[in-house]
């Protein structure tokens, strides 16, 4: 497996907060505002997509650690933009700075860790748990 990835890779993704992405809908709270789990999913998705083209065929990444603060609420209808930056590469371990913001400013930020994996071996190991 080629592990020649270098720090500095960035990713950006913008979504609109819809009803299905609210704390109320996701069960993480009772209010109709952008849910923390939805913010985390956006951060993970942006990070993994940012490095996907750098991987060899058959390789992927899996999230292993998320350390973020959700510091401001975003109502339904507003856009949220996520920015990620690969700041550390330690063999198969990738560390990203992650930040999400809406038109009013930062709503969340922190770090996210992913590991490069061989997709087939990873799935085989997961499936073996059934036996």
């Amino acid at each position: 497996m080629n592990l020649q990835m270098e720090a500095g890779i960035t990713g950006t993704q913008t979504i609109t907060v819809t009803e299905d992405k609210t704390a109320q809908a996701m069960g993480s709270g009772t209010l109709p505002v952008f849910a923390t789990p939805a913010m985390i999913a956006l951060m993970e998705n942006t990070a993994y997509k940012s490095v996907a083209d750098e991987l060899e065929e058959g390789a992927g990444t899996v999230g292993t650690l998320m350390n973020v603060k959700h510091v401001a609420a975003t109502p339904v209808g507003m856009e949220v933009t996520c920015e990620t930056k690969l700041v550390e590469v330690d063999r198969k371990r990738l560390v990203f700075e992650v930040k999400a913001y809406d038109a009013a400013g930062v709503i969340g930020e922190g770090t996210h860790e992913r590991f490069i994996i061989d997709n087939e071996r990873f799935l085989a190991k997961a499936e073996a748990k059934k036996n």
Side-chain angles (χ1 to χ4, degrees):
M1 184 178 301
N2 179 13
L3 302 175
Q4 300 299 318
M5 201 172 305
E6 294 186 17
I9 297 169
T10 60
T12 303
Q13 187 173 184
T14 300
I15 63 167
T16 300
V17 178
T18 52
E19 293 291 338
D20 62 317
K21 293 177 181 66
T22 64
Q24 191 174 45
M26 297 187 86
S28 64
T30 59
L31 300 175
V33 295
F34 193 46
T36 301
M39 181 186 75
I40 289 171
L42 175 62
M43 290 172 166
E44 281 203 85
N45 185 267
T46 306
Y48 106 75
K49 284 183 176 180
S50 74
V51 297
D53 289 343
E54 303 293 322
L55 300 170
E56 288 185 351
E57 189 172 334
T61 63
V62 292
T64 57
L65 178 67
M66 184 63 81
N67 185 8
V68 297
K69 295 178 188 178
H70 194 172
V71 298
T74 304
V76 171
M78 282 189 81
E79 288 188 339
V80 172
T81 298
C82 177
E83 294 176 348
T84 63
K85 182 176 182 180
L86 181 60
V87 295
E88 183 182 345
V89 179
D90 180 11
R91 298 173 13 120
K92 294 182 180 185
R93 183 173 152 269
L94 309 175
V95 180
F96 297 83
E97 287 179 350
V98 293
K99 179 169 65 168
Y101 56 91
D102 60 24
V106 173
I107 65 163
E109 59 188 337
T111 58
H112 173 45
E113 180 181 274
R114 302 187 71 76
F115 272 80
I116 299 170
I117 51 103
D118 177 283
N119 290 332
E120 276 188 37
R121 278 192 288 179
F122 186 89
L123 284 175
K125 187 175 179 182
E127 288 294 323
K129 293 174 88 172
K130 292 179 181 177
N131 300 331

